[in-house]
Amino acid sequence: MTTCPKCRAETATPLCCSACGALVAPERAPTPFEVFGLEPGLTVDGAALKRRLIELSRRMHPDFFATGGDELRELAERNTAELNRAYEVLANELERADWLVRALGGPDERTERALPQAFLMEVLEWNESLEEARRSPASPTARRALESLAAALAKERERQVAHLRAALVPTPERGSPRLAEARKELNALRYVERTLGEIRALQLEASTAQS
Amino acid sequence: MGFLQLNVLNQIEPLAAVGIDLGTTNSLVAVWENGRPKVVHPEGDNGYVPSAVYFPADGAPIVGKEARERAVFDPEHTIFSVKRFMGRGVTDVAEDLKGVPFKAHSGKNGVIEFDVRGRKLTPQEISALILEKCGEVAARATGGRALQKAVITVPAYFDDAQRQATRDAARLAGIEVLRIVNEPTAASLAYGLDQKKQGHVAVYDLGGGTFDVSILAIEDGVFRVLSTNGDTHLGGDDFDRCLVGAALTELSHSVDPRKLDDPAFRQALRLAAEKCKIELSTYPEAEMHIQIPDSNVQWRRRFTRREFEVLTKVLVERTLHSCRRALADAKLEPSQIDEVVLVGGVTRMPAVRAAVQQFFGREPHTKLNPDEVVALGAAVQAHVLSGGTRDVLLMDVTPLSLGLETVGGAVAKVILRNSTIPCQATEGFTTYVDNQTAIDFNVLQGERELAADCRSLGRFRLSGIPPMPAGLARVAVRFHIDANGLLTVTAKEQSTGVTARIEVQPQNGLSDADVQRMLANAYEHAKDDFAARRAAELVTEIGTMLRATEKGLAEAKPQLDRETILDIEDAMKNARNACEGRDARELQRARDAFEKATLPLAAVLMDNFAKKALTGKVIGEV
């Protein structure tokens, strides 16, 4: 809880007062969870988060402070940038998990590069069929291969997200070994996400070439 | 200038903040009035300012409709489609430069410079002239009210350099930019307020030179952009070029190719193609006709709509590819789009409408004028930014990812495309050799994985890092994109507090000093232009005086003393000489001296006239 410097009310977000609506300059950069007035944790209600984003934007957006002088306008600009950044982190489960692991003192992706053991064998197989599809993404064989690869990856993604949730819900203690487990799952998930992204791009190219 | 003076004299209130659509082909001003946005136009004029500037041999540049007309007769001195060159370098626009009759080269910091009659002008300065003309039209429409503050629109897919170039153009025109707004987003505002609709909207904006598609969620006055995609080098100009290309191929069989390279011919061909394209939107067939240079032969060719559609199919397909990517980024299927809004003149083409309809599986919304909807939306945003309402909120995104080059030439993305703006993000870096005291950063914009494939927005160096083992320094690089979509980067070494900050001054962009120098130059030029006009007026006036004096002397010489006659003859000679030189101050002096010397003559002539009148002669006989 932060105290509003203007009306002294307790306010749920450190960026603007929930009572009088005044913009507040935070003393230190707030965490994404603090910005939205939430307890840190992997589980977030997406629809509620979006409603809150719009509610807070309606209070702090620089569009509404354009005539209020440079200082106020810049504060609105900074606070809204902070709000939007916090939303980017909280709206995406993997970003949220990544933030939690760091915040709880867990390893980052540079210190813990390992992947879950079972995953490695599959990666080799996937890479091979992806390599083939890259050569001629519009051919019928490649299209089918991409489709089944996408399906396999989506299933793998579900499995990994379940592991990630098991590692981070309930929220672990600082320094818990579950954080390293979560990091490994995140490393694998990053690979899966990137590959799925590339498959989507290849499929887009193919559908354009087709029509 | 005239309007400014008028304002000072009459204390006319300046215009409320306006919206300006600074387009590739046309520019347009709109203002919020009586609860809705409306186009600003003088009586009997649609208010469209063709984005063309003509440079006459002497006198001030001519902008707008007149410039567009001159382009046919004097193509080398008429600059058009300047938006394609904003914030770009000559290598980026090599194709465009091949297609235009005016000359350009690379100037300071890679900014393009057009060579017109010995003057070097950047795209920013040309755009400033167009913006000034918009101000003039607005003043004419509103009884002399001055345009001081504006929201200016840019294609959503404009990058940082192109946005900054637009902002600099406005500064050069003396306009305070309240906000730079993306064109499809502006269009959605006008649409959303007009239709009071909610849901997912796709704005398909195919303008004179650029293509954008934006996917928005509209709910309770909140216009939230989910994704945007596009091509800043795809528009109506390219559709014209398809016809020009077809014509040139056919002509090359019968006409000397050197004749076909003639700039005036090329310009006429381009205009004929544009006319043909527009007619084909209404009629199933249209004729393109053009005079072959140095001959009396008219080349005529009928194009069917089908033929034109085949020629331009690949262009339409490129726009659909952008639509696919935008939908994928918004995580939506075409069937989840509740309405498709068409913007830009090219969307009048039946083939474009049909392609869009087929792609989204629904008939597009066409009730709004596709040429005006962007300016109208910009006026809505200007109203919001002037504190007029809190009922409308625009949440826009950055079109392209931003990042830094890492060791090995890869890109570390710091802010991803389609992030809501304003936004900020911080990325940690460290030293990679022992006792490294400085780190060089290369700021990149684009989606590719390698730095070499992205656009470099600028480089900067953080120095003064105390010597320590590799990997120990903790450098935080903070990116901030403001509500205009413009980027600022700051770097800070956290153990020592050493900071470096760059206002990214992009490659192909102007520095503050450049803008100041151009402002001073423009003032000088305005003075020169004014002087040239004054000189021309004086030459005419002296000519009239000379003829009158010769006639007067023939009549009244016997009545004048010898000294007066010599004075007059002397003054006449001086005046004639001054007319050769065309120096305004010299002319003014000669004219004044001439007038003074002829005073006795004038007195005699007046006297004679009075006497004749008294003796009963009618005036007609004098």
Side-chain angles (χ1 to χ4, degrees):
Chain A
M1 282 290 179
T2 316
T3 312
C4 169
K6 225 176 197 168
C7 73
R8 317 306 303 171
E10 292 280 291
T11 169
T13 153
L15 301 176
C16 75
C17 175
S18 24
C20 73
L23 292 178
V24 179
E27 280 164 25
R28 56 166 182 85
T31 72
F33 289 96
E34 284 170 343
V35 168
F36 279 84
L38 297 171
E39 281 303 313
L42 188 65
T43 318
V44 163
D45 174 350
L49 191 74
K50 196 189 290 176
R51 274 198 304 278
R52 187 88 178 116
L53 169 75
I54 288 171
E55 203 182 298
L56 290 172
S57 295
R58 277 202 182 274
R59 292 207 192 137
M60 318 198 285
H61 200 278
D63 281 5
F64 303 135
F65 296 91
T67 55
D70 287 352
E71 204 178 314
L72 204 56
R73 199 182 58 230
E74 275 162 32
L75 182 58
E77 179 87 46
R78 273 202 309 278
N79 284 3
T80 305
E82 201 73 61
L83 171 71
N84 286 333
R85 178 64 194 167
Y87 183 77
E88 294 281 328
V89 173
L90 296 190
N92 179 320
E93 192 172 20
L94 302 194
E95 294 286 332
R96 227 153 51 215
D98 179 76
W99 187 88
L100 274 175
V101 172
R102 276 170 214 272
L104 294 170
D108 66 16
E109 70 275 16
R110 284 175 202 145
T111 47
E112 177 59 83
R113 295 161 184 259
L115 294 164
Q117 198 49 47
F119 186 68
L120 278 170
M121 295 309 292
E122 285 177 297
V123 167
L124 292 175
E125 209 175 293
W126 291 333
N127 275 348
E128 209 170 294
S129 58
L130 188 61
E131 194 48 52
E132 239 176 70
R134 271 194 199 114
R135 269 177 242 134
S136 57
S139 80
T141 1
R143 285 168 83 105
R144 275 196 301 277
L146 282 176
E147 249 166 61
S148 63
L149 183 54
L153 282 166
K155 213 166 142 207
E156 176 62 27
R157 190 184 188 286
E158 252 173 63
R159 218 168 54 82
Q160 284 165 349
V161 168
H163 287 175
L164 185 68
R165 286 179 188 153
L168 291 177
V169 182
T171 309
E173 296 290 311
R174 278 191 76 82
S176 155
R178 277 158 65 202
L179 295 170
E181 284 311 305
R183 177 57 67 195
K184 283 185 205 166
E185 294 298 337
L186 274 172
N187 289 346
L189 274 162
R190 265 184 223 286
Y191 168 86
V192 170
E193 287 283 286
R194 211 177 42 235
T195 313
L196 275 170
E198 197 189 335
I199 292 172
R200 270 194 295 272
L202 283 170
Q203 284 173 331
L204 278 180
E205 295 300 326
S207 64
T208 300
Q210 189 78 2
S211 53
Chain B
M1 276 301 161
F3 290 112
L4 267 179
Q5 281 158 1
L6 205 63
N7 274 317
V8 174
L9 288 177
N10 300 341
Q11 296 292 310
I12 299 176
E13 212 185 303
L15 269 173
V18 299
I20 304 179
D21 173 4
L22 181 60
T24 308
T25 325
N26 286 303
S27 298
L28 193 63
V29 182
V31 70
W32 183 271
E33 217 174 76
N34 303 324
R36 63 184 195 87
K38 67 180 266 276
V39 169
V40 176
H41 64 92
E43 192 77 27
D45 176 337
N46 62 13
Y48 292 28
V49 175
S51 304
V53 181
Y54 172 67
F55 291 87
D58 45 24
I62 294 167
V63 188
K65 292 194 174 78
E66 296 84 355
R68 199 179 145 81
E69 282 156 20
R70 310 267 178 126
V72 190
F73 307 107
D74 195 356
E76 280 156 90
H77 301 117
T78 313
I79 294 180
F80 55 89
S81 291
V82 71
K83 193 169 175 178
R84 287 187 165 231
F85 305 102
M86 294 283 273
R88 302 284 82 157
V90 278
T91 47
D92 299 323
V93 292
E95 266 314 298
D96 292 288
L97 284 172
K98 258 188 257 165
V100 296
F102 41 87
K103 305 250 180 325
H105 69 269
S106 188
K108 192 182 146 203
N109 193 28
V111 178
I112 289 173
E113 284 181 348
F114 302 109
D115 305 301
V116 212
R117 300 196 195 274
R119 271 172 84 170
K120 289 183 182 24
L121 292 140
T122 60
Q124 286 88 328
E125 289 167 281
I126 303 287
S127 296
L129 291 170
I130 296 165
L131 286 170
E132 277 171 15
K133 182 70 178 186
C134 287
E136 211 178 293
V137 170
R140 201 145 47 83
T142 56
R145 294 172 69 185
L147 191 166
Q148 293 179 347
K149 294 179 182 184
V151 166
I152 299 185
T153 61
V154 295
Y157 225 54
F158 253 23
D159 67 17
D160 197 75
Q162 292 167 304
R163 280 166 204 270
Q164 295 215 25
T166 306
R167 191 185 56 176
D168 289 339
R171 281 168 73 191
L172 289 170
I175 295 172
E176 182 190 334
V177 182
L178 292 181
R179 181 62 52 80
I180 291 172
V181 170
N182 295 327
E183 284 157 11
T185 317
S188 79
L189 268 183
Y191 159 82
L193 291 189
D194 190 62
Q195 299 294 310
K196 305 216 172 3
K197 286 227 181 100
Q198 318 256 333
H200 290 138
V201 173
V203 180
Y204 178 101
D205 180 358
L206 187 52
T210 56
F211 173 70
D212 283 323
V213 55
S214 288
I215 313 289
L216 291 102
I218 304 179
E219 197 181 344
D220 295 329
V222 179
F223 293 70
R224 197 157 65 95
V225 180
L226 304 176
S227 68
T228 194
N229 208 293
D231 189 331
T232 57
H233 258 77
L234 173 60
D237 288 0
D238 299 284
F239 285 75
D240 299 345
R241 260 182 234 166
C242 289
L243 284 175
V244 168
L248 283 174
T249 309
E250 291 180 23
L251 280 162
S252 65
H253 301 309
S254 52
V255 182
D256 179 357
R258 269 170 305 181
K259 283 187 186 172
L260 297 181
D261 280 340
D262 175 57
F265 172 71
R266 283 298 179 98
Q267 183 64 13
L269 192 57
R270 196 170 9 253
L271 291 173
E274 191 188 354
K275 189 162 164 281
C276 184
K277 170 189 77 179
I278 291 168
E279 283 176 10
L280 282 171
S281 288
T282 317
Y283 308 104
E285 282 188 11
E287 194 178 68
M288 197 168 146
H289 49 93
I290 185 155
Q291 182 87 31
I292 305 296
D294 310 321
S295 76
N296 291 323
V297 184
Q298 278 267 345
W299 183 76
R300 286 171 186 279
R301 164 79 153 85
R302 288 198 84 73
F303 281 96
T304 64
R305 188 184 283 171
R306 180 81 202 118
E307 223 180 325
F308 180 50
E309 285 171 7
V310 170
L311 285 172
T312 56
K313 187 173 189 303
V314 50
L315 298 178
V316 177
E317 195 42 56
R318 267 165 68 191
T319 68
L320 296 184
H321 187 53
S322 287
C323 292
R324 275 186 207 104
R325 286 188 294 202
L327 279 172
D329 282 354
K331 299 192 172 62
L332 292 172
E333 294 294 323
S335 60
Q336 290 171 283
I337 299 296
D338 300 300
E339 189 96 83
V340 185
V341 180
L342 296 182
V343 183
V346 189
T347 60
R348 289 202 174 87
M349 267 180 64
V352 170
R353 289 194 175 185
V356 172
Q357 177 163 349
Q358 206 208 347
F359 181 85
F360 287 100
R362 63 175 50 250
E363 200 173 323
H365 180 89
T366 53
K367 288 194 190 73
L368 296 165
N369 182 338
D371 292 320
E372 297 183 354
V373 62
V374 169
L376 293 172
V380 175
Q381 184 64 358
H383 179 60
V384 173
L385 290 170
S386 312
T389 177
R390 284 186 80 116
D391 295 339
V392 175
L393 172 62
L394 202 61
M395 295 167 73
D396 216 329
V397 299
T398 182
L400 299 158
S401 301
L402 287 155
L404 290 164
E405 180 170 352
T406 60
V407 182
V411 185
K413 303 261 163 73
V414 180
I415 292 179
L416 296 179
R417 70 168 184 273
N418 296 320
S419 297
T420 305
I421 53 169
C423 64
Q424 60 90 15
T426 306
E427 183 79 19
F429 282 85
T430 188
T431 47
Y432 61 97
V433 290
D434 288 343
N435 301 324
Q436 186 180 343
T437 56
I439 303 180
D440 287 309
F441 293 101
N442 182 14
V443 182
L444 299 157
Q445 187 162 33
E447 304 313 316
R448 306 284 295 275
E449 298 294 331
L450 292 180
D453 297 326
C454 291
R455 176 167 286 266
S456 171
L457 290 181
R459 293 165 188 275
F460 71 103
R461 160 173 284 209
L462 177 73
S463 44
I465 301 171
M468 52 182 125
L472 272 194
R474 286 192 306 129
V475 175
V477 182
R478 185 173 183 273
F479 279 51
H480 178 99
I481 305 183
D482 70 11
N484 297 309
L486 292 169
L487 174 71
T488 319
V489 182
T490 8
K492 188 174 183 181
E493 202 289 303
Q494 291 178 318
S495 62
T496 56
V498 172
T499 58
R501 177 193 166 87
I502 55 161
E503 290 285 341
V504 182
Q505 191 225 118
Q507 182 70 16
N508 314 321
L510 303 175
S511 66
D512 268 354
D514 291 333
V515 172
Q516 291 308 327
R517 182 176 47 74
M518 285 174 183
L519 277 171
N521 266 350
Y523 180 68
E524 280 304 310
H525 269 297
K527 278 204 309 199
D528 287 353
D529 294 340
F530 179 79
R533 195 159 51 223
R534 181 75 191 126
E537 284 166 10
L538 283 166
V539 168
T540 316
E541 194 182 345
I542 289 172
T544 314
M545 285 167 72
L546 283 168
R547 275 190 301 280
T549 309
E550 277 160 12
K551 206 172 145 214
L553 274 181
E555 180 191 321
K557 216 170 187 173
Q559 293 163 273
L560 294 169
D561 59 70
R562 201 183 135 70
E563 206 169 324
T564 306
I565 294 171
L566 282 176
D567 275 354
I568 292 176
E569 283 172 350
D570 228 26
M572 285 172 82
K573 206 171 113 198
N574 274 340
R576 279 202 191 91
N577 286 341
C579 286
E580 301 292 314
R582 297 222 155 206
D583 179 280
R585 261 179 306 180
E586 197 56 45
L587 281 161
Q588 186 74 45
R589 250 197 308 269
R591 183 213 158 274
D592 293 348
F594 187 13
E595 188 181 52
K596 205 170 155 213
T598 54
L599 282 177
L601 171 65
V604 170
L605 289 173
M606 280 301 289
D607 208 29
N608 291 353
F609 174 78
K611 276 181 201 155
K612 280 176 194 159
L614 282 176
T615 53
K617 292 215 171 187
V618 289
I619 289 169
E621 292 173 53
V622 177

